[in-house]
Amino acid sequence: MRATGRRPPSMVDVARVAGVSPATVSRVISKPEMVSAGRVARVRAAMSQLSFVPNSAARALAKGSSGSLAVLAANTSLYGYRTTITGVEQAARRAGWATFITVIDEGPDDHARQAIDLIRGQRVTGAIAISFDNVVTQAMRALADEVPLVIVKTSSEPTIPQQSCVHIEDDLGVLQATAHLLSLGHDTVHYVGAASGRWTGYRNALVAHGRIVPEPQIVGWDLDEAYQAGLKLVDRHATAIMCQNDEAAMAVAAAVKDRGRSVPEDIHVMGVDDHPLGYLWRPSISTVKLDFHSAGLAAVEALSEIIGNPGATIERRIAASLVLRDSTKQALHKREWVRGRKPPASRSDLIR
């Protein structure tokens, strides 16, 4: 966590000192009769110790006059968005906050304006913007100066100066994944996905290892685009492919099979996100695990803190980790088909 300047104590700080939840602190502020006498005493002692004074937004939230939280998102059918929203909703519900979701559609600017006007009309106490693409990034700027706002972002999206955020470190995860693929003996690694922070992490890994950076196969969310990119890379004798997400990795793996090759014996494939279907796919997909659920929980905690601390800037980082499965198991042979030679005829020939 990082705060700018000397920030005043928050409800989260009071809760930590008192040994209770932020929701209990909120109830002590607004409805102490609903809390046991012992907890009220502990919370008030902590407030006195920390010189905590609830601001108007915190008091309004505690009293229920505006105890609502807005969530801005784009394509909620995508795994990252919906898993982050689940974390936000669970944390908000535990704190006694109502949550409503506003989807910012791709399209004319008036769609975004209508969504922002809807949030303004609800007079929410705070908002969380899940900024995984430009459409949400642009919309959230309109709210940044109006309500307490926390941004959940990946490495692709810019951070608004002095704006609280939860940063999912997908670029560093992809850097680690690409380095792992190189460690398996590949001369280089190919990329299928958008020109995003994930691509930057991939490129940085190749550059750091002194490897050639092949021309990326730029695709969007359409899985057929990823499948077609996979066909091209098989034809170009790629031996390792880093994909922007697990769905794209599954599409690429299907393309490898349809070209008469095999994952992982001929080509290693790696995805990102740790989508549940990646585990069930055959072969199971190695991936960069991004903990979207924890990001949602952290966003609500950060929002609680800045509501009690006007002017504070909170930054939290969610680290990525590698989950290695069958799609990157070490191949037994040295991919003789790449060099135009036939694969070994027997298992004994595979061991070099």
Side-chain angles (χ1 to χ4, degrees):
M1 179 185 72
R2 183 181 67 196
T4 58
R6 288 187 174 181
R7 65 173 181 81
S10 69
M11 285 194 293
V12 173
D13 295 323
V14 173
R16 188 177 298 114
V17 171
V20 298
S21 70
T24 298
V25 176
S26 175
R27 284 191 289 271
V28 170
I29 294 171
S30 61
K31 298 179 180 179
E33 69 277 5
M34 297 180 62
V35 185
S36 67
R39 288 189 175 183
V40 169
R42 281 158 50 196
V43 169
R44 288 177 174 169
M47 294 169 71
S48 176
Q49 175 184 334
L50 297 173
S51 299
F52 170 78
V53 178
N55 70 356
S56 58
R59 287 194 297 269
L61 181 61
K63 293 178 179 179
S65 60
S66 184
S68 58
L69 166 64
V71 178
L72 285 75
N75 190 343
T76 54
S77 67
L78 296 176
Y79 176 72
Y81 275 109
R82 68 174 184 265
T83 308
T84 304
I85 289 171
T86 298
V88 168
E89 196 280 329
Q90 288 177 352
R93 181 162 20 97
R94 286 198 294 266
W97 299 358
T99 305
F100 74 89
I101 300 166
T102 298
V103 176
I104 311 294
D105 295 322
E106 293 276 5
D109 290 342
D110 61 344
H111 289 178
R113 285 195 295 270
Q114 290 172 5
I116 296 301
D117 288 343
L118 175 63
I119 292 174
R120 289 173 175 143
Q122 295 292 328
R123 296 183 180 179
V124 299
T125 304
I128 293 174
I130 305 175
S131 179
F132 296 159
D133 48 44
N134 287 331
V135 64
V136 176
T137 302
Q138 294 168 4
M140 71 187 179
R141 294 179 186 275
L143 283 178
D145 296 327
E146 299 184 27
V147 297
L149 175 67
V150 174
I151 301 165
V152 182
K153 65 183 291 293
T154 57
S155 57
S156 304
E157 302 307 317
T159 300
I160 299 176
Q162 305 302 311
Q163 186 60 60
S164 296
C165 73
V166 176
H167 185 135
I168 301 173
E169 297 181 322
D170 58 337
D171 54 341
L172 297 181
V174 172
L175 184 151
Q176 295 169 5
T178 305
H180 175 74
L181 288 170
L182 292 175
S183 75
L184 298 178
H186 300 283
D187 294 331
T188 191
V189 178
H190 292 256
Y191 179 81
V192 173
S196 64
R198 298 180 186 186
W199 180 84
T200 301
Y202 150 84
R203 180 185 180 279
N204 288 345
L206 293 182
V207 171
H209 287 79
R211 306 302 175 85
I212 294 173
V213 181
E215 180 183 356
Q217 298 295 308
I218 301 300
V219 303
W221 299 113
D222 188 340
L223 294 184
D224 186 61
E225 292 181 5
Y227 174 82
Q228 295 299 327
L231 295 177
K232 291 179 182 178
L233 291 179
V234 175
D235 294 343
R236 295 176 186 177
H237 303 312
T239 62
I241 303 174
M242 184 74 234
C243 301
Q244 70 174 349
N245 56 40
D246 293 332
E247 293 97 322
M250 288 183 270
V252 166
V256 172
K257 181 178 181 181
D258 289 350
R259 277 291 194 258
R261 305 301 181 187
S262 177
V263 175
E265 285 77 9
D266 297 318
I267 299 178
H268 287 158
V269 176
M270 177 84 73
V272 181
D273 288 347
D274 195 22
H275 192 294
L277 290 180
Y279 172 75
L280 298 174
W281 189 266
R282 292 295 177 266
S284 56
I285 301 296
S286 292
T287 188
V288 178
K289 178 179 177 61
L290 303 180
D291 196 344
F292 295 109
H293 185 268
S294 290
L297 299 176
V300 174
E301 181 180 342
L303 186 63
S304 298
E305 190 157 344
I306 64 174
I307 284 174
N309 294 276
T313 300
I314 308 301
E315 180 181 348
R316 296 215 169 94
R317 291 186 172 269
I318 306 296
S321 59
L322 295 187
V323 179
L324 302 180
R325 299 190 178 115
D326 292 341
S327 69
T328 57
K329 279 189 174 179
Q330 181 62 54
L332 294 177
H333 63 78
K334 293 186 178 181
R335 299 176 176 82
E336 287 79 356
W337 64 272
V338 172
R339 304 179 180 88
R341 298 196 294 270
K342 295 176 64 175
S346 65
R347 183 175 179 83
S348 60
D349 293 332
L350 301 178
I351 308 302
R352 301 297 178 94

